[in-house]
Amino acid sequence: MTIQPSTSTCCISRATAAAAFDVFGVTCRVLLAGAGSDGLQSVARLTCPPGAGAPPHRHAQAETFHILCGRLEVRVGETRHELGAGDLVHVRPWAVHAFLNRGTEPVEFIATGAPAGHEHFFAEADALTQAGDFTPANAAAVCGRHGIELVESP
């Protein structure tokens, strides 16, 4: 990932240089890491193929998902929301949430996490996948090391 601070007041990230991580089947391209935002937030562009998503979980970061194309089912608490292009959902810290692409086309969305930190999870999850060491137990351990608590579905 190439992030170049251009002045003391901004950070430029080129989409063509964004690191792409395979996070258990979802491609995450980190556009802004904590290093470029003084730890305030991270921003990633996610591509979620049909049938892929994230299981119910919670963490200390607030997250905002802005759907660029496709349709994404997002569960917050016990409520499921069907989001389409242009829609946005903000999830507060520690709220149980999940997402799933139930469609037949990939979904693309921008995910913002505040404070930053998810980019480190993305990198470790990708390393696990690339090493061929993916198992549910290993994935849960990676989540736990990054403060992500997996929650059983109701």
Side-chain angles (χ1 to χ4, degrees):
M1 167 178 26
T2 303
I3 297 180
Q4 303 172 357
S6 60
T7 71
S8 62
T9 58
C10 77
C11 177
I12 304 296
S13 176
R14 303 289 180 196
T16 55
F21 299 109
D22 178 349
V23 180
F24 313 138
V26 177
T27 301
C28 302
R29 288 182 169 76
V30 176
L31 303 174
L32 177 66
S37 69
D38 295 326
L40 296 175
Q41 66 179 348
S42 60
V43 179
R45 183 177 183 137
L46 279 63
T47 303
C48 186
H57 65 282
R58 62 185 172 190
H59 42 68
Q61 290 94 347
E63 282 186 304
T64 301
F65 302 152
H66 181 197
I67 311 303
L68 302 175
C69 65
R71 300 200 63 77
L72 187 70
E73 179 183 281
V74 177
R75 179 183 135 198
V76 181
E78 299 301 318
T79 305
R80 297 177 193 277
H81 307 275
E82 182 78 18
L83 303 179
D87 292 342
L88 180 143
V89 62
H90 178 75
V91 181
R92 295 187 186 280
W94 297 113
V96 174
H97 60 289
F99 63 86
L100 177 64
N101 179 356
R102 292 190 184 275
T104 58
E105 300 293 326
V107 177
E108 292 196 25
F109 61 102
I110 300 294
T112 302
H118 278 338
E119 66 273 21
H120 305 296
F121 164 70
F122 296 160
E124 188 174 351
D126 179 75
L128 181 70
T129 300
Q130 299 307 319
D133 291 334
F134 177 85
T135 66
N138 288 345
V142 169
C143 290
R145 282 193 292 277
H146 293 278
I148 299 168
E149 180 185 341
L150 299 176
V151 179
E152 292 198 28
S153 295

